[in-house]
Amino acid sequence: VIIVRRMRVLHLFGDWKWTGPSEPTLDLCIELRALGVDVALACMAAPDDAQGGLPHRARERGLEPLHDASLKRTVLSTLRDTKTVARMCRGYDLIHTHFSHDHVVGGRAARKAGGVKIVRTNHKAIPTPFNVATKYLYRKLTDGYITASRMALEKDVTRFGLRGWQIDPAMRLDRFAPRPAPHEGFRVGVVARMQRHRRFDILLQGIKLARVADLQVQIVGRGTHMDEVAVQPARRLGLSNVQFTGYLGDRYLDTLAGFDALLFLVPGSDGTCRAIREAMCMGKAVIGARRGMIPEIVDDGTTGLVIDDSPENIARAIERLAADRAACARMGQAGREKALRLYDVKRQARAVKDIYAQLL
């Protein structure tokens, strides 16, 4: 009698918030379980007054998160957590980490336990800075490395001597179905947190310069500095055609369906630019800056336009799509076809499971 034991994997996720990397990590865990992998998710516990964080959403989908390790970013907590995770390692074949802090904890615990492989996902999808700390993490505490970006993979594998894989970013594609959303004018959408580094000043100046008589702009998102970085500058520029929707929740997909194109300049905490991929799934053309992973996602002239994001270039790109709305729609359809081909979370989970099997 041959007994085949299920692969046992512990995902360490050093956050509780529903940030950029949270949803793809949870989706991956759920899909790996569906493929027969015995997956556990250990993450930070949410504050008592928090709502809608990673632990809550994991429970909603039938995955009870583990909080044995605090995963707090202090020296004392790191020492305690390393011992805790080393004890937990006895029940797992592999630890999959997602941030530098949980990589330190998981990597040291795996080495301490012996026989447990350690995998790191680079969610930022940009090359890792080369310094003493990263050399230690990637050369001493890493057996496998995963990222969505070809550029990041090539540079990090060369710098650190990693065994690495590039896997296309993924989503639950069944959530995205293009549908008619009648509206007046040419509507450009922006989906981004209101943060100082997201170049809202350049974006708004570009909108101001665009010569499109029926242009409408909807900016979706929120942030601590929303008024400072976006609302007040838009008022000073006299942009009466710009609407701030705030965080939309369940209404997001309905709003996305009403865009003619998405304008996206700076990747956030999830360097795989989820908003771009969501727009592509919904059949929308994308204007994207030549920054981070954006040029790997947007095929210039086919699924959208890739630009160096000066105000003038932003304006010209908007004008180009607005002047030929049939071509804009064709780009959107090409983007949807690409998304359906590459960005399915089931496809991603199969690829990750295969990596686990190779490492083990």
Side-chain angles (χ1 to χ4, degrees):
V1 177
I2 298 175
I3 299 175
V4 179
R5 183 173 59 78
R6 295 176 72 188
M7 192 184 300
R8 299 169 302 182
V9 178
L10 174 65
H11 278 253
L12 277 186
F13 194 88
D15 204 346
W16 64 268
K17 298 176 183 176
W18 194 243
T19 57
S22 301
E23 187 169 0
T25 298
L26 179 57
D27 286 346
L28 176 60
C29 289
I30 298 296
E31 292 300 331
L32 286 170
R33 280 190 155 197
L35 292 174
V37 181
D38 188 355
V39 172
L41 172 64
C43 64
M44 293 181 72
D48 293 337
D49 58 348
Q51 296 180 350
L54 176 58
H56 172 75
R57 293 179 186 250
R59 292 187 188 98
E60 282 186 333
R61 299 182 64 186
L63 179 59
E64 183 64 34
L66 306 177
H67 299 310
D68 304 63
S70 72
L71 298 176
K72 293 179 180 177
R73 291 166 176 79
T74 66
V75 174
L76 188 57
S77 292
T78 299
L79 294 174
R80 282 198 301 256
D81 287 345
T82 300
K83 293 179 181 179
T84 299
V85 176
R87 290 194 298 270
M88 295 172 67
C89 280
R90 296 168 190 156
Y92 298 98
D93 304 302
L94 183 146
I95 296 179
H96 192 146
T97 64
H98 297 270
F99 302 110
S100 293
H101 178 67
D102 50 63
H103 190 174
V104 171
V105 171
R108 293 180 63 213
R111 296 296 182 252
K112 186 179 180 69
V116 178
K117 299 296 184 181
I118 184 80
V119 172
R120 168 68 185 271
T121 289
N122 173 6
H123 288 280
K124 292 184 177 180
I126 57 175
T128 305
F130 188 80
N131 54 47
V132 173
T134 56
K135 280 167 58 178
Y136 172 69
L137 271 181
Y138 284 95
R139 291 182 175 177
K140 300 295 184 182
L141 303 181
T142 307
D143 297 306
Y145 166 89
I146 298 172
T147 188
S149 166
R150 294 184 298 273
M151 177 189 66
L153 178 72
E154 291 169 3
K155 291 194 175 181
D156 283 348
V157 164
T158 300
R159 283 174 172 175
F160 300 107
L162 293 166
R163 187 177 182 186
W165 293 265
Q166 184 265 333
I167 298 180
D168 292 307
M171 300 181 296
R172 289 180 285 154
L173 298 183
D174 58 308
R175 298 175 55 217
F176 302 92
R179 52 188 180 274
H183 59 272
E184 296 180 359
F186 186 76
R187 184 174 295 175
V188 174
V190 178
V191 180
R193 283 188 61 80
M194 308 290 177
Q195 298 168 312
R196 294 189 178 100
H197 71 280
R198 300 299 284 265
R199 295 175 67 80
F200 275 93
D201 55 338
I202 303 299
L203 183 151
L204 294 170
Q205 290 171 40
I207 293 169
K208 177 72 173 179
L209 292 175
R211 297 292 178 256
V212 178
D214 58 353
L215 177 63
Q216 300 176 23
V217 179
Q218 287 187 315
I219 299 180
V220 179
R222 63 187 178 192
T224 306
H225 306 292
M226 176 176 175
D227 195 63
E228 172 194 342
V229 304
V231 176
Q232 289 301 326
R235 287 176 181 168
R236 286 194 294 270
L237 289 169
L239 294 175
S240 59
N241 60 339
V242 174
Q243 175 193 8
F244 293 93
T245 70
Y247 179 72
L248 292 175
D250 293 340
R251 296 178 292 122
Y252 171 58
L253 292 183
D254 292 332
T255 300
L256 185 57
F259 295 167
D260 293 295
L262 179 82
L263 177 57
F264 194 94
L265 301 186
V266 182
S269 59
D270 178 5
T272 64
C273 308
R274 187 178 188 85
I276 291 181
R277 292 182 286 113
E278 289 172 338
M280 291 169 64
C281 285
M282 294 291 279
K284 308 302 176 183
V286 177
I287 300 170
R290 203 180 311 278
R291 183 176 288 107
M293 195 182 166
I294 296 173
E296 295 185 43
I297 301 175
V298 182
D299 301 315
D300 186 37
T302 302
T303 64
L305 303 175
V306 179
I307 62 172
D308 294 317
D309 55 340
S310 66
E312 292 77 15
N313 287 341
I314 291 171
R316 300 296 86 78
I318 294 172
E319 291 168 356
R320 177 177 168 183
L321 294 184
D324 191 344
R325 302 186 189 188
C328 180
R330 286 194 298 272
M331 289 181 182
Q333 180 58 33
R336 175 163 170 79
E337 291 170 0
K338 178 177 180 178
L340 294 179
R341 187 173 69 252
L342 297 181
Y343 300 147
D344 183 10
V345 69
K346 298 181 186 299
R347 177 178 184 269
Q348 180 201 47
R350 290 192 294 270
V352 172
K353 182 182 178 183
D354 184 60
I355 290 170
Y356 292 166
Q358 292 179 56
L359 291 172
L360 294 173

